[in-house]
Amino acid sequence: MKNTIGNAVTFTVFGESHGPVVGGVLDGLAAGLAVDEKKLSEQMEKRRAQKNGITTTRQEADKVRILSGVWQERTTGTPLAFVIENTNTRSEDYLMGPARPGHADWAAHQKYGGFEDFRGGGHFSGRLTAPLAAAGLICQQILETHGIRVGTHIARISGVRDRLFSQDEQELLKELYYLQQLKDLPVLDEKAGCKMKEAILDARDEGDSVGGTLETAVLGLAGGVGEPFFDTVEGVLSKLVFAIPGVKGVAFGDGFGFADLTGSEANDELQIADGRIRSVTNHNGGVNGGVANGMPIRFQSCIKPTPSIYKPQNTVDLCTKREVKLQINGRHDPCILPRAAIVQTAVTSLGILDLATQRYGTLWQKEGCK
């Protein structure tokens, strides 16, 4: 049983949805790196539930309390440990027995033999994305000192599509900056965002939920990062993205669209531009042979509809082993994508920092730090 990920930079997550705290330990950071807790708090706001009807009504402050590893706003080089308090739980909404369809209840019961904390999903809850986000957003601050930018927007919800990231790097940089400053729904096209909100509210009013896709871009990462087989850029990032509850697919570049292309259409031809080698197109999403090639890394994830819905469903009571009808209670998001976008940015930042540190060493982290 393991809840730690990473090689040069590692992260361990702990806690349960209705426990006193959730938290994490981030290790492998160089000493002397600046940690802007105000900026961290501002970015964590994007994961919090909002009073707009499209997210859960469970309101948590998501205040990150750093316990060790930071002193006078600089990392000490020792493990950075932090906690985030759970202050608004309603455990009475969760009863042991009926397994919620689409949730981890049944699988968790088989793994832990009935000793699992089932309240609110326990350790499997989306609540655990709070420490995931906090750790990754700290990593994002370090990457930005090296000119590496990471951002995510909602590409699609319930058939409503946002425009995809620009293929032009200057325009992409503007889009990533725009998303970082944005406080509302993380989309590039405001009109698409309004239609997405309508689709979410319609599902909520019907006691149902909707899913969609997220698109993430990494700009400014030099070529040569990553390994050719077991620690590929795609493999490392995918493993982290799949830690976000509800993610069911990850595709880099044109992804499954490659199935309909010929080799001449799919290949990225090379050229000399501004004195450096780059590709004319970026069908492969910035990665060849598992290694970053210097072009922007681009990938999409698919997130299923939130399994917590208010319609009656057939299930089995895990205690009595009898079929029952279940209508869940509790407070749930009709769509998790609005809050998952910042989490995907965060875990991507964690993965990129780990890969870059493996390539250049821990002291590289300090080179951009003033």
Side-chain angles (χ1 to χ4, degrees), residues 345-362:
T345 292
V347 298
T348 301
S349 299
L350 173 59
I352 294 296
L353 183 62
D354 183 25
L355 287 163
T357 303
Q358 290 179 65
R359 170 71 169 168
Y360 304 118
T362 304

Side-chain angles (χ1 to χ4, degrees), residues 156 213 238 242 247-262 266 283-285 298-302:
R156 178 174 59 181
T213 60
S238 293
F242 276 117
V247 171
K248 285 297 184 181
V250 178
F252 283 76
D254 286 0
F256 287 93
F258 281 119
D260 299 319
L261 301 180
T262 62
H283 296 297
N284 288 275
R298 297 178 56 173
F299 67 88
Q300 292 193 37
S301 68
C302 178

Side-chain angles (χ1 to χ4, degrees), residues 50-71:
Q50 304 298 321
K51 297 179 180 180
N52 55 12
I54 65 172
T55 61
T56 176
T57 57
R58 177 180 174 178
Q59 297 288 320
E60 294 282 4
D62 278 1
K63 171 65 177 175
V64 180
R65 182 158 61 95
I66 296 177
L67 304 178
S68 67
V70 176
W71 186 55

Side-chain angles (χ1 to χ4, degrees), residues 51-308:
K51 297 179 180 180
N52 55 12
I54 65 172
T55 61
T56 176
T57 57
R58 177 180 174 178
Q59 297 288 320
E60 294 282 4
D62 278 1
K63 171 65 177 175
V64 180
R65 182 158 61 95
I66 296 177
L67 304 178
S68 67
V70 176
W71 186 55
Q72 295 182 336
E73 300 182 337
R74 297 276 178 168
T75 57
T76 62
T78 55
L80 194 164
F82 63 89
V83 294
I84 301 171
E85 293 184 358
N86 293 328
T87 61
N88 188 8
T89 60
R90 283 198 335 213
S91 299
E92 65 273 11
D93 288 334
Y94 300 90
L95 300 174
M96 180 63 173
R100 296 168 299 168
H103 276 278
D105 298 350
W106 179 33
H109 193 73
Q110 295 174 82
K111 181 174 179 65
Y112 298 113
F115 292 99
E116 69 276 2
D117 183 344
F118 59 86
R119 300 169 301 168
H123 192 61
F124 294 87
S125 170
R127 181 69 184 141
L128 274 293
T129 62
L132 269 175
L137 291 171
I138 291 171
C139 293
Q140 185 184 36
Q141 292 186 19
I142 299 169
L143 292 177
E144 288 179 351
T145 66
H146 293 269
I148 300 171
R149 303 286 172 176
V150 184
T152 302
H153 73 108
I154 300 172
R156 178 174 59 181
I157 284 180
S158 190
V160 180
R161 297 175 183 270
D162 191 15
R163 71 172 189 268
L164 296 180
F165 279 126
S166 174
Q167 295 288 338
D168 180 83
E169 292 188 24
Q170 291 301 316
E171 286 300 315
L172 175 58
L173 179 59
K174 293 177 183 178
E175 290 171 343
L176 294 177
Y177 180 78
Y178 170 75
L179 288 170
Q180 191 170 49
Q181 305 306 311
L182 196 63
K183 295 182 179 180
D184 199 8
L185 204 67
V187 293
L188 302 174
D189 184 339
E190 188 176 341
K191 291 182 179 179
C194 290
K195 292 180 180 178
M196 288 178 184
K197 288 180 182 178
E198 291 176 5
I200 295 171
L201 291 173
D202 287 345
R204 182 204 65 179
D205 292 344
E206 294 175 6
D208 218 327
S209 63
V210 290
T213 60
L214 299 173
E215 184 188 27
T216 295
V218 181
L219 180 63
L221 181 67
V225 172
E227 301 297 332
F229 284 99
F230 306 118
D231 283 320
T232 65
V233 172
E234 298 108 323
V236 169
L237 295 184
S238 293
K239 189 172 183 179
L240 281 158
V241 171
F242 276 117
I244 302 172
V247 171
K248 285 297 184 181
V250 178
F252 283 76
D254 286 0
F256 287 93
F258 281 119
D260 299 319
L261 301 180
T262 62
S264 59
E265 294 171 321
N267 289 344
D268 296 308
E269 296 184 340
L270 302 181
Q271 63 178 344
I272 300 290
D274 299 324
R276 67 185 180 98
I277 300 174
R278 54 175 290 118
S279 57
V280 179
T281 54
N282 193 18
H283 296 297
N284 288 275
V287 185
N288 291 119
V291 179
N293 61 27
M295 295 292 289
I297 293 173
R298 297 178 56 173
F299 67 88
Q300 292 193 37
S301 68
C302 178
I303 298 181
K304 70 178 184 177
T306 316
S308 294

